[in-house]
Amino acid sequence: MIEPMIAPSILSADFARLADAADSVERADWLHVDVMDYHFVPNLTIGLPVVRSLHAATDLPLDCHLMIEDPDRWAPAYAEAGAANVTFHIEAAKDPVATARAIRAAGALAGLSIKPATELDPYLDVLREFDTLLVMTVEPGFGGQEFMAEVLPKVRRAREEVRSGHLRLFIEVDGGIDADTIEAAAAAGADVFVAGSAVFSADDPGAAVEALRARARRAMPG
Ligand code: DX5
Ligand code: ZN
């Protein structure tokens, strides 16, 4: 039985109070940090200095999701800044294997993300160099969007590859995950669930994390 992991996304938190946001979800598994550069996506968030400060302010493992151009150049520094997992987008990468190796050499897990329209199959071999596959369940760029159930066949396919032993990685979903949608993602084979608005718009973010975890656990295939 795989245990579900919940990764609250601070994109939906108060950016002036990020340490408080981290404290409010202290029983989460990872803290998801969305890095955007105004180029890969039409939004701008935070970068290395904030990741360094967050790392000093919380014991939660930081799950950095880089929605940036030229991740080959920038991603390893996020591992050096203290991220536990550094995920970048295949659509932006020139040499994903070299970048994964550099991230791992700097001490973090390496993750590869695919946008909703990006197929998984061409990357099944490349993914042997990674620890995490992040399947976007919305178009990257903003929180609070609607979950796209049509991408779940990619999650199922990845889970088959893990079951058969071809791949060994976390299968993470990101975008539109809430109490209603998490079950479909869990049933399809995801084991890491990013949730921004569902956690940080709740009156009690910590309780929202526990509720999501319980729902995912119920829906995960045995
Ligand atoms: C979107 C980000 C997500 C975002 C999810 O590009 O990658 O991590 O914070 O937010 P919700 O859970 O509100 O869809
Ligand atoms: Zn994200």
Side-chain angles (χ1 to χ4, degrees):
M1 172 86 195
I2 313 163
E3 267 300 296
M5 293 175 37
I6 307 296
S9 167
I10 57 165
L11 186 61
S12 296
D14 179 347
F15 270 23
R17 297 176 195 281
L18 290 179
D20 294 342
D23 287 347
S24 74
V25 294
E26 62 182 357
R27 298 191 57 206
D29 298 279
W30 287 352
L31 192 66
H32 188 81
V33 180
D34 289 303
V35 174
M36 306 186 189
D37 69 348
Y38 261 158
H39 291 270
F40 183 71
V41 288
N43 197 1
L44 178 72
T45 55
I46 58 174
L48 278 173
V50 177
V51 170
R52 281 192 204 103
S53 295
L54 259 179
H55 180 54
T58 180
D59 291 334
L60 283 170
L62 301 183
D63 175 30
C64 287
H65 176 196
L66 307 185
M67 286 160 275
I68 61 173
E69 296 291 357
D70 207 0
D72 311 82
R73 177 173 178 192
W74 303 113
Y78 285 82
E80 285 156 18
N85 181 77
V86 180
T87 291
F88 60 90
H89 273 264
I90 188 67
E91 301 87 356
K94 287 180 199 73
D95 191 343
V97 169
T99 302
R101 288 180 181 166
I103 290 168
R104 283 173 157 180
L109 302 179
L112 192 68
S113 184
I114 52 174
K115 297 206 282 186
T118 302
E119 284 184 42
L120 171 65
D121 281 24
Y123 306 110
L124 287 175
D125 285 332
V126 163
L127 279 166
R128 291 171 74 91
E129 303 273 346
F130 286 81
D131 306 285
T132 307
L133 166 67
L134 174 53
V135 177
M136 288 303 303
T137 43
V138 297
E139 284 302 330
F142 299 93
Q145 303 181 77
E146 200 176 325
F147 178 74
M148 297 169 70
E150 59 268 36
V151 308
L152 290 181
K154 291 192 283 190
V155 173
R156 268 183 224 110
R157 179 90 180 91
R159 179 53 63 197
E160 278 167 23
E161 293 292 308
V162 171
R163 278 213 191 92
S164 71
H166 180 251
L167 293 179
R168 199 181 158 136
L169 34 69
F170 292 113
I171 302 172
E172 185 172 16
V173 283
D174 183 7
I177 298 292
D178 61 20
D180 293 325
T181 57
I182 197 167
E183 295 194 9
D191 55 1
V192 183
F193 305 87
V194 177
S197 41
V199 169
F200 288 111
S201 302
D203 291 337
D204 182 343
V209 167
E210 293 307 324
L212 287 169
R213 202 201 308 278
R215 282 203 176 236
R217 195 179 279 136
R218 266 206 306 274
M220 279 168 98

